[in-house]
Amino acid sequence: MSAKRRVTIALIAEEAGVSIPTVSKVINGRPEVALETRHRVERLLREHGYQRRASQGDTPAGLVDLVFAEIESPWAMEIVRGAESAAREAAASLVISVLHTHAGPGRDWMERLAARRTDGVVIVASKLSAGVQGQLTARSLPFVVVDPEGEPAPGVVSVGATNWNGGLAATRHLVELGHRRIAMISGPADMLCSQARIDGYRAALETAGIPVEPELIRRGTFLVDSGHDHGHALLSLDDPPTAIFAGSDLQAFGVFEAARQRGLRVPEDLSVVGFDDLPLARSAWPPLTTVRQPLQEMAALATRTVLGMGRGEVPETRRVELATELIVRESTAPLPA
């Protein structure tokens, strides 16, 4: 039996029926390759498990790309802090990219990624298409998704939080305070974390024997304006809620403002719970009762994991969910008699 052939660019080029420079261009993300040819070469790179050999000119090991769909929020800053802390502990560098789209990384980003010879990618709250996944795999680039928008594909490593448990705990807290008209403002319908928080909310109401009323469930954007607008709509109902569970701290702050504009006091007239436990939650007035999502820990774990994958380590599990915790402050109170 002949020895197994070493996987080289020449071997890939031979099987793909293209030149060696063409394979090199695909590996390095160069744009001047026909789409069909690119896909054929990437498929062969995956099948052979091609590993790019480092050269003296490569960037030293320890470069992580942190990729956001959007970054204009305190939520994103917590993710950056966690990733930066883990990278610093590993003597690695961190590069932050902002795509300004939830559709996932595009070709331009992939070309920049290949040019700087990164060791791993952490993708935050974004969709990961099969095409992008294939390109990363073809280049032997490990990647981890933090807080994935949708259900991760089989084999994709992801780090999230126990959103269902968080929704359950937040709503159960309001039920235990005597509230029965409890509204929920969540995020977009196509986001996994958003739906999980609604499911936890529903479970808490159903367990307490409280009917789930569709008019009390609103889908927003997790941003302040969303909480403000939906808060006004809920509080203008003929039978308004006495408590609102907002799917993010930012939405909770919007509810605060809507309540103030309507002459209502928090928590005397309206109890409010948020989700995330951003630093602003502690300094808000009143201080916000919220579900702590371990954002920094999530980002740090994803960064450590992707660096380990770059060293050839295999994650013990493909999907990790870190625990959430209800933090009770002063924005919730018993239902007035």
Side-chain angles (χ1 to χ4, degrees):
M1 181 181 294
S2 61
K4 184 178 179 180
R5 296 176 70 183
R6 185 168 66 89
V7 181
T8 63
I9 291 180
L11 173 62
I12 299 297
E14 178 184 341
E15 292 196 14
V18 298
S19 67
I20 290 175
T22 296
V23 176
S24 180
K25 288 176 182 177
V26 172
I27 291 172
N28 291 298
R30 299 282 296 277
E32 59 270 23
V33 178
L35 187 60
E36 182 180 348
T37 301
R38 179 183 298 277
H39 288 169
R40 185 164 70 252
V41 171
E42 288 176 342
R43 177 178 56 80
L44 288 167
L45 289 168
R46 289 195 301 272
E47 290 176 357
H48 284 286
Y50 173 79
Q51 297 290 327
R52 185 183 63 206
R53 186 177 65 184
S55 68
Q56 293 181 349
D58 282 346
T59 301
L63 178 63
V64 175
D65 266 72
L66 181 63
V67 186
F68 288 91
E70 303 289 346
I71 201 172
E72 292 84 5
S73 75
W75 183 95
M77 291 300 100
E78 292 300 290
I79 295 290
V80 171
R81 290 188 181 98
E84 194 279 330
S85 174
R88 186 173 64 251
E89 289 173 2
S93 299
L94 191 70
V95 175
I96 299 173
S97 302
V98 185
L99 305 175
H100 301 292
T101 173
H102 287 265
R107 175 174 292 183
D108 290 346
W109 173 81
M110 191 67 68
E111 291 169 6
R112 294 195 299 272
L113 187 72
R116 58 178 165 262
R117 303 301 180 107
T118 191
D119 294 282
V121 184
V122 175
I123 301 174
V124 183
S126 180
K127 294 177 181 175
L128 185 66
S129 69
V132 171
Q133 183 179 341
Q135 291 180 62
L136 290 170
T137 303
R139 291 168 174 79
S140 301
L141 282 172
F143 60 92
V144 176
V145 182
V146 174
D147 201 16
E149 281 203 359
E151 189 71 26
V156 171
V157 179
S158 67
V159 178
T162 54
N163 289 287
W164 186 90
N165 287 337
L168 180 77
T171 310
R172 182 175 289 167
H173 169 66
L174 294 170
V175 169
E176 291 172 349
L177 290 174
H179 295 276
R180 294 297 179 268
R181 287 287 284 178
I182 302 171
M184 167 78 190
I185 306 174
S186 190
D190 60 351
M191 292 188 70
L192 195 63
C193 65
S194 172
Q195 187 58 50
R197 293 170 198 177
I198 290 179
D199 290 344
Y201 158 86
R202 288 177 177 273
L205 293 182
E206 291 169 354
T207 301
I210 301 173
V212 176
E213 301 188 32
E215 71 172 355
L216 294 182
I217 301 176
R218 306 297 171 105
R219 294 190 182 274
T221 62
F222 286 143
L223 300 178
V224 174
D225 288 348
S226 170
H228 174 268
D229 295 345
H230 285 295
H232 266 299
L234 289 164
L235 296 172
S236 66
L237 294 173
D238 292 338
D239 186 11
T242 61
I244 296 178
F245 168 34
S248 72
D249 289 351
L250 296 180
Q251 284 190 146
F253 300 150
V255 173
F256 275 12
E257 180 60 14
R260 185 194 67 79
Q261 291 173 350
R262 302 183 75 86
L264 300 175
R265 300 166 299 165
V266 176
E268 292 85 354
D269 303 313
L270 177 72
S271 285
V272 180
V273 179
F275 202 109
D276 287 332
D277 195 27
L278 300 175
L280 290 171
R282 296 186 290 274
S283 58
W285 188 255
L288 180 65
T289 294
T290 186
V291 176
R292 181 178 184 272
Q293 182 175 203
L295 297 172
Q296 291 193 30
E297 291 91 333
M298 288 159 57
L301 176 59
T303 303
R304 288 193 294 268
T305 299
V306 85
L307 285 169
M309 291 167 68
R311 295 190 296 268
E313 299 172 8
V314 179
E316 293 183 4
T317 180
R318 292 285 173 177
R319 184 167 181 175
V320 178
E321 289 189 344
L322 301 185
T324 52
E325 178 187 5
L326 179 69
I327 307 296
V328 179
R329 297 195 179 98
E330 300 173 36
S331 66
T332 52
L335 179 68

